[in-house]
């Protein structure tokens, strides 16, 4: 009932000039839209800008960023298979890429079929030793 009341109140604050405009405003203010507005308003309240919360956020942010970095590196070590497009836009081959466990070498190569499980480093023909210097590494591993 509170959501309906809020829908009506918000629609009326726009001062619609006709009943059709009012109905249109009500349709735009769906239940999910009202929930989004409420969430946004709660986030803007002073409680989330208070000194203790800001200090906590500042204290845990480096730890969180390190955790994100480690998760991304672990995902690279696991490896990923991509579909490879040929000149006719057919996706009949695969390309696999994975990072060595010591995080120093990026192994990659073509595969004829999608792998089931991990692909050993030895079966990947190509490798890149200076992958950390590449620009994509900064954007992928750092926020």
């Amino acid at each position: 009932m509170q959501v309906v009341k809020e829908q009506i109140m918000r629609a009326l604050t726009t001062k619609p000039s006709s009943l059709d405009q009012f109905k249109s405003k009500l349709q735009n203010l769906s239940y999910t839209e009202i929930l989004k507005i409420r969430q946004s308003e709660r986030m803007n309240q002073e409680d989330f800008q208070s000194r203790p919360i800001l200090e906590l956020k500042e204290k845990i942010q480096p730890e969180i960023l390190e955790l994100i970095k480690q998760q991304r590196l672990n995902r690279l070590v696991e490896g990923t298979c991509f579909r490879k497009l040929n000149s006719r836009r057919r996706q009949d081959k695969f390309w696999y890429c994975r990072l060595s466990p010591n995080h120093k070498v990026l192994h990659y190569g073509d595969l004829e079929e999608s792998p089931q499980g991990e692909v050993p480093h030895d079966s990947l023909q190509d490798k890149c030793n200076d992958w950390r210097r590449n620009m994509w590494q900064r954007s992928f591993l750092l926020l």
Side-chain angles (χ1 to χ4, degrees):
M1 213 48 177
Q2 288 291 337
V3 174
V4 174
K5 180 180 176 182
E6 191 169 341
Q7 285 173 313
I8 293 170
M9 295 302 289
R10 287 185 183 273
L12 288 174
T13 58
T14 62
K15 298 181 182 176
S17 58
S18 69
L19 185 59
D20 289 335
Q21 283 183 344
F22 178 70
K23 287 179 181 179
S24 174
K25 296 288 183 188
L26 284 178
Q27 286 178 340
N28 291 337
L29 291 169
S30 65
Y31 178 75
T32 55
E33 187 64 29
I34 293 293
L35 290 180
K36 286 179 188 176
I37 291 169
R38 285 181 175 178
Q39 179 72 17
S40 174
E41 288 173 351
R42 265 188 251 127
M43 294 298 287
N44 292 331
Q45 289 177 352
E46 288 183 23
D47 292 343
F48 288 97
Q49 302 302 322
S50 67
R51 187 173 175 203
I53 290 184
L54 293 175
E55 287 175 359
L56 177 63
K57 183 179 174 182
E58 186 178 313
K59 182 178 178 181
I60 65 172
Q61 187 174 12
E63 190 177 323
I64 290 172
L65 292 175
E66 183 61 30
L67 177 63
I68 291 169
K69 180 180 175 184
Q70 286 305 314
Q71 287 175 336
R72 290 178 179 180
L73 282 169
N74 290 342
R75 182 68 178 119
L76 284 172
V77 170
E78 288 175 18
T80 303
C81 184
F82 302 93
R83 289 194 175 272
K84 188 174 183 179
L85 295 174
N86 63 15
S87 60
R88 295 182 185 163
R89 309 287 288 164
R90 291 189 61 214
Q91 300 177 356
D92 52 358
K93 290 193 177 188
F94 296 90
W95 185 79
Y96 195 85
C97 181
R98 81 183 283 191
L99 184 62
S100 64
N102 65 5
H103 302 173
K104 292 186 178 185
V105 180
L106 192 63
H107 299 269
Y108 59 96
D110 294 335
L111 300 174
E112 291 299 320
E113 56 188 43
S114 181
Q116 302 298 322
E118 286 188 8
V119 174
H121 292 104
D122 302 342
S123 67
L124 300 172
Q125 309 88 350
D126 303 306
K127 63 181 180 178
C128 178
N129 292 320
D130 61 347
W131 70 276
R132 288 182 180 264
R133 293 184 194 146
N134 292 335
M135 193 63 171
W136 70 268
Q137 188 265 343
R138 288 187 186 98
S139 64
F140 184 74
L141 293 177
L142 303 176
L143 295 176

